[in-house]
Amino acid sequence: MTRRERTLSLIKPDAIAAGHTGKILDHITSAGFQIIGLRMVFLSRTQAEAFYYMHRERPFFPSLIEFMTSGPVIAFVLEKENAIQAYRDLMGATDPAKAAPGTLRALFGQNVEKNAVHGSDSPENARREIAFFFSEAELIPVQSTFPQPV
Ligand code: CMP
């Protein structure tokens, strides 16, 4: 059984600097995801540490924080049936070298850290990560932006 779900994605500083933003968004919308909120943010160190707090004990954490504060990120909320798993499938494995051909990380990632995109990994984290960047009022289901039939 499928149900409509929301997930949080980031385009990371490496992919923005490489000029991949448009291509990544095109892949996502072509795969049937609706973008219902989007903003560009230059994360502070405190914000990056809070966003990735679950990785704080990992050896790569200091380097990850350095990377995620090296330039802006683009944060956006996606809506689709089973969006969390569907978007993880579209992104591919964390390490671009192990990601399936055609996935976002295989196409646009550089290495296991500079891997182009982030996506929430569970409903709990999706709720937390969406609220990190957006208030509920900032999320606009696409249908409501078009004129409604009278
Ligand atoms: P993301 O899906 O955003 O979640 C945590 C991030 O940490 C991950 O993508 C990578 O950017 C980074 N990361 C995960 N594993 C490693 C690793 N082994 N070495 C360096 N960075 C990593």
Side-chain angles (χ1 to χ4, degrees):
M1 170 115 144
T2 58
R3 65 195 171 84
R4 214 156 166 84
E5 216 174 37
R6 291 177 177 182
T7 191
L8 187 281
S9 176
L10 300 177
I11 300 179
K12 298 187 181 183
D14 60 317
I16 295 175
H20 293 321
T21 299
K23 286 170 281 183
I24 289 172
L25 293 176
D26 184 44
H27 271 267
I28 292 169
T29 53
S30 296
F33 292 86
Q34 287 187 342
I35 299 171
I36 64 166
L38 182 147
R39 64 155 42 113
M40 182 178 267
V41 183
F42 208 132
L43 292 171
S44 68
R45 176 165 288 269
T46 304
Q47 286 174 312
E49 287 173 352
F51 185 79
Y52 278 122
Y53 81 98
M54 73 291 283
H55 296 307
R56 63 193 178 282
E57 308 294 346
R58 307 290 288 275
F60 58 78
F61 187 70
S63 177
L64 175 63
I65 299 308
E66 201 64 40
F67 163 53
M68 292 300 291
T69 57
S70 66
V73 301
I74 295 173
F76 49 104
V77 177
L78 298 173
E79 208 174 78
K80 191 185 196 300
E81 287 75 27
N82 289 324
I84 295 169
Q85 187 58 47
Y87 189 58
R88 292 183 72 75
D89 292 345
L90 190 71
M91 288 193 300
T94 304
D95 184 349
K98 297 177 185 155
T103 58
L104 294 174
R105 284 166 168 165
L107 288 167
F108 304 113
Q110 296 176 31
N111 56 46
V112 70
E113 178 180 83
K114 296 180 173 60
N115 60 358
V117 285
H118 167 85
S120 308
D121 65 1
S122 67
E124 298 70 33
N125 279 336
R127 274 192 290 278
R128 182 184 73 82
E129 293 177 1
I130 290 168
F132 189 94
F133 286 101
F134 298 94
S135 68
E136 187 61 34
E138 291 172 313
L139 301 176
I140 305 163
V142 171
Q143 300 90 307
S144 69
T145 65
F146 291 101
Q148 298 298 305
V150 286

